[in-house]
């Protein structure tokens, strides 16, 4: 009788363990969003062909924004507070495993700080005051 083998279970990447650095300066963030790639398409229906449409890719669609959130801290000013400024170098988001070993790196280039906002201040709640940043990037690459 043949022995049945099952595929090995592989844990998904733990998205809650990540390190952010800007030009090799470590920065802690609690939330990052906006990591995506997209392309606009154009549909064209050929004359006399009513059963399908041709779909063509267009240029890369629109501005790409990275949104980062972290608790406010006392100390040096964060370089991401300088709205309108171009940040030289790269912003690196490194996803790690439970032992801190790197699994994936996302490198964002040609950065411009688009917005900085302080979260809501409420005397009714005892929460952490949050800094929110929006950074425009031209392109990113996935390493690892």
């Amino acid at each position: 009788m043949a022995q049945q083998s099952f595929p090995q279970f592989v844990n998904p990447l733990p998205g809650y363990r990540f390190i952010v650095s800007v030009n090799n300066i470590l920065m802690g963030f609690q939330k990052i969003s906006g990591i995506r790639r997209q392309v606009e398409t154009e549909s064209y229906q050929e004359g006399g062909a009513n059963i399908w449409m041709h779909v063509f890719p267009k240029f890369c669609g629109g501005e790409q924004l990275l949104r980062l959130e972290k608790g406010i801290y006392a100390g040096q000013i964060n370089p991401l507070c300088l709205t309108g400024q171009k940040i030289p170098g790269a912003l690196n988001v490194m996803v790690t495993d439970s032992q801190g070993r790197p699994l994936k790196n996302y490198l964002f280039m040609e950065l411009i700080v688009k917005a900085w906002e302080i979260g809501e201040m409420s005397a009714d709640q005892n929460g952490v005051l949050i800094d929110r940043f929006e950074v425009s990037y031209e392109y990113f690459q996935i390493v690892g």
Side-chain angles (χ1 to χ4, degrees), residues 4 11 21 55 64 74 76 100 105 111 129-131:
Q4 187 176 13
N11 287 328
S21 63
V55 179
Q64 301 177 78
Q76 284 184 307
N105 277 331
L111 306 165
L129 191 57
I130 302 294
D131 263 339

Side-chain angles (χ1 to χ4, degrees), residues 19 22 36-37 41 47 52 59-60 63 65 69 71 77-78 83 88 101 103 110 114 125 139 142-144:
I19 299 168
V22 177
R36 67 182 191 157
R37 285 196 174 137
T41 58
W52 71 82
F59 63 91
C60 186
E63 183 178 27
L65 288 177
E69 292 185 10
I77 189 164
N78 188 321
T83 56
R101 293 182 298 244
L103 296 172
E110 301 297 326
K114 185 167 180 176
Q125 298 175 355
Y139 62 96
I142 302 170
V143 181

Side-chain angles (χ1 to χ4, degrees), residues 17-140:
R17 291 186 172 104
F18 59 92
I19 299 168
V20 178
S21 63
V22 177
N23 297 324
N24 296 324
I25 299 170
L26 287 178
M27 304 178 79
F29 288 94
Q30 69 186 43
K31 189 186 293 187
I32 299 174
S33 61
I35 300 174
R36 67 182 191 157
R37 285 196 174 137
Q38 70 181 36
V39 66
E40 290 184 22
T41 58
E42 182 175 341
S43 299
Y44 175 77
Q45 187 167 358
E46 191 175 348
N50 294 328
I51 56 174
W52 71 82
M53 259 187 178
H54 297 283
V55 179
F56 300 104
K58 291 168 65 174
F59 63 91
C60 186
E63 183 178 27
Q64 301 177 78
L65 288 177
L66 193 62
R67 288 170 291 289
L68 306 111
E69 292 185 10
K70 66 187 243 30
I72 292 180
Y73 67 97
Q76 284 184 307
I77 189 164
N78 188 321
L80 298 180
C81 293
L82 305 172
T83 56
Q85 299 293 316
K86 187 170 187 170
I87 298 176
L91 185 142
N92 182 14
V93 177
M94 181 188 311
V95 179
T96 65
D97 65 7
S98 59
Q99 283 79 39
R101 293 182 298 244
L103 296 172
K104 282 261 192 227
N105 277 331
Y106 302 94
L107 293 173
F108 298 88
M109 272 65 92
E110 301 297 326
L111 306 165
I112 296 177
V113 180
K114 185 167 180 176
W116 167 54
E117 174 186 11
I118 295 177
E120 180 181 281
M121 294 185 206
S122 175
D124 297 336
Q125 298 175 355
N126 187 18
V128 176
L129 191 57
I130 302 294
D131 263 339
R132 291 184 182 99
F133 305 97
E134 281 190 2
V135 179
S136 175
Y137 61 93
E138 284 188 19
Y139 62 96
F140 78 95

